[in-house]
């Protein structure tokens, strides 16, 4: 079974593209969503996060994402510490998940594929790209974040051009969903044609 990495910068529209692959019957693993889920279900992870970031990391609703985001996106050492706790848990969960799938390929939607040097663990890489202003507007609308908060997050990610250069496939997501879907269908056919 092939593993196809799907990545792109924040606000590029990775989730939209991932759902298009899912509509074609391809299982999609949303690394960010699974990381968030593990951060509220894994007792060892919860204990580690509280120890490093304090009791404020969790509130009555669960993970205090606003507080945690403020801390880690403004301090590279804090971000690194959080990633060192969360990523091994997600990696193990992903391997278990892949073992349960029965398709020609699976998609791992992972915004930090290149940042975490995981590209070599994928057979193919799809990068979703979008104009920077569009990305900022999408994240502001989605997360209720300020422009400077979004820009800080973008600064913590690798440059979009680097990802585009190192991709097997690039989907330009400028808001035209029909052309996005066409690109997904073409990539889907191409990957299937490579499988004996």
């Amino acid at each position: 079974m092939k593993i196809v990495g799907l990545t792109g910068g924040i606000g590029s529209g990775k989730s939209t593209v991932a759902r298009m692959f899912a509509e074609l019957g391809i299982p999609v693993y949303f690394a960010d969503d699974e990381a968030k889920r593990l951060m509220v279900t894994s007792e060892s992870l919860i204990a580690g996060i509280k120890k490093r970031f304090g009791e404020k990391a969790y509130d009555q609703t669960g993970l205090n994402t606003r507080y945690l985001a403020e801390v880690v996106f403004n301090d590279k050492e804090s971000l690194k510490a959080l990633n060192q706790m969360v990523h091994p848990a997600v990696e193990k969960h992903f391997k278990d998940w892949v073992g349960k799938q029965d398709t020609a390929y699976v998609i791992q939607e992972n915004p930090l594929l290149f940042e975490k040097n995981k590209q070599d663990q994928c057979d193919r890489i799809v990068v979703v790209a979008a104009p920077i202003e569009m990305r900022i507007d999408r994240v502001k609308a989605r997360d209720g974040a300020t422009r400077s908060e979004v820009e800080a997050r973008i600064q913590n990610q690798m440059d979009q051009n680097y990802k585009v250069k190192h991709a097997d496939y690039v989907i330009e997501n400028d808001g035209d969903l029909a052309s996005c879907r066409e690109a997904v269908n073409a990539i889907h056919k191409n990957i299937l044609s490579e499988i004996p």
Side-chain angles (χ1 to χ4, degrees), residues 91-111:
E91 205 164 301
K92 182 190 180 309
H93 187 263
F94 175 66
K95 282 182 182 153
D96 294 344
W97 177 85
V98 168
K100 295 173 188 162
Q101 306 310 311
D102 184 27
T103 48
Y105 72 97
V106 296
I107 297 277
Q108 183 191 35
E109 191 261 24
N110 188 340

Side-chain angles (χ1 to χ4, degrees), residues 24-193:
L24 295 171
I26 300 304
V28 179
Y29 185 91
F30 291 91
D32 255 11
D33 292 348
E34 292 301 338
K36 285 174 191 143
R37 192 183 61 75
L38 289 167
M39 287 163 82
V40 294
T41 57
S42 164
E43 288 179 23
S44 61
L45 209 45
I46 291 168
I49 291 168
K50 281 183 177 177
K51 186 177 178 187
R52 175 65 172 78
F53 298 99
E55 293 293 322
K56 268 178 87 175
Y58 290 84
D59 57 25
Q60 64 279 11
T61 61
L63 187 69
N64 186 345
T65 49
R66 187 112 188 151
Y67 164 76
L68 213 51
E70 277 174 25
V71 173
V72 302
F73 287 117
N74 293 310
D75 176 22
K76 285 196 186 314
E77 283 308 306
S78 291
L79 181 61
K80 190 176 169 187
L82 182 64
N83 287 339
Q84 284 171 342
M85 285 185 250
V86 177
H87 288 141
V90 174
E91 205 164 301
K92 182 190 180 309
H93 187 263
F94 175 66
K95 282 182 182 153
D96 294 344
W97 177 85
V98 168
K100 295 173 188 162
Q101 306 310 311
D102 184 27
T103 48
Y105 72 97
V106 296
I107 297 277
Q108 183 191 35
E109 191 261 24
N110 188 340
L112 299 175
L113 197 70
F114 285 102
E115 286 85 346
K116 297 292 147 217
N117 258 328
K118 303 288 182 202
Q119 66 271 25
D120 295 338
Q121 295 172 11
C122 300
D123 298 293
R124 290 284 176 267
I125 304 224
V126 179
V127 168
V128 183
I132 190 76
E133 285 304 319
M134 191 174 275
R135 290 170 58 198
I136 291 168
D137 289 344
R138 283 174 182 161
V139 180
K140 279 167 62 181
R142 182 189 75 195
D143 297 351
T146 65
R147 183 183 181 91
S148 60
E149 285 171 337
V150 179
E151 286 172 342
R153 291 187 209 175
I154 288 171
Q155 289 304 310
N156 276 313
Q157 293 187 338
M158 203 172 270
D159 181 59
Q160 179 172 270
N161 293 332
Y162 177 89
K163 293 176 181 181
V164 164
K165 223 183 281 182
H166 292 84
D168 295 295
Y169 304 102
V170 178
I171 297 175
E172 295 289 344
N173 181 15
D174 59 4
D176 180 352
L177 291 181
S179 73
C180 246
R181 196 174 296 281
E182 268 177 42
V184 166
N185 288 335
I187 291 166
H188 175 66
K189 283 179 187 153
N190 205 293
I191 291 169
L192 290 180
S193 75

